[in-house]
């Protein structure tokens, strides 16, 4: 089971990946854990990925990173 958080920044200061802070990661894990508990999904089979997309001012992708 993979949970994916997609973060996008368009011409803004900072990178999309920088918008995932410890508090956001904690909320992501809490949500994933709650979902898995409700459905009896083994936590050993769960991961959280982050896809960070930085766009230029026209909306074209400058970079895409998968963590």
């Amino acid at each position: 089971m993979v949970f994916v958080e997609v973060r996008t920044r368009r011409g803004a200061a900072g990178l999309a990946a920088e918008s995932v802070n410890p508090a956001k990661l904690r909320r992501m894990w809490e949500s994933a854990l709650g979902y898995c508990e409700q459905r009896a999904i083994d936590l050993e089979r769960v991961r959280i990925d982050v896809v960070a997309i930085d766009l230029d001012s026209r909306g074209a992708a400058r970079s895409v990173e998968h963590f």
Side-chain angles (χ1 to χ4, degrees):
M1 171 77 58
V2 180
F3 295 88
V4 180
E5 176 75 14
V6 179
R7 308 299 289 183
T8 305
R9 290 270 173 102
R10 178 189 302 232
L15 300 173
E18 295 172 338
S19 68
V20 181
N21 57 33
K24 178 64 177 175
L25 286 172
R26 186 177 57 253
R27 287 192 306 272
M28 290 165 54
W29 270 113
E30 289 170 356
S31 295
L33 291 174
Y35 180 89
C36 291
E37 285 175 3
Q38 289 177 353
R39 289 160 180 81
I41 297 170
D42 182 8
L43 296 179
E44 299 268 332
R45 301 179 58 120
V46 173
R47 75 174 200 235
I48 292 180
D49 291 5
V50 175
V51 176
I53 304 167
D54 292 298
L55 306 174
D56 64 19
S57 59
R58 297 182 329 253
R62 278 191 336 225
S63 69
V64 177
E65 295 181 276
H66 179 202
F67 302 94

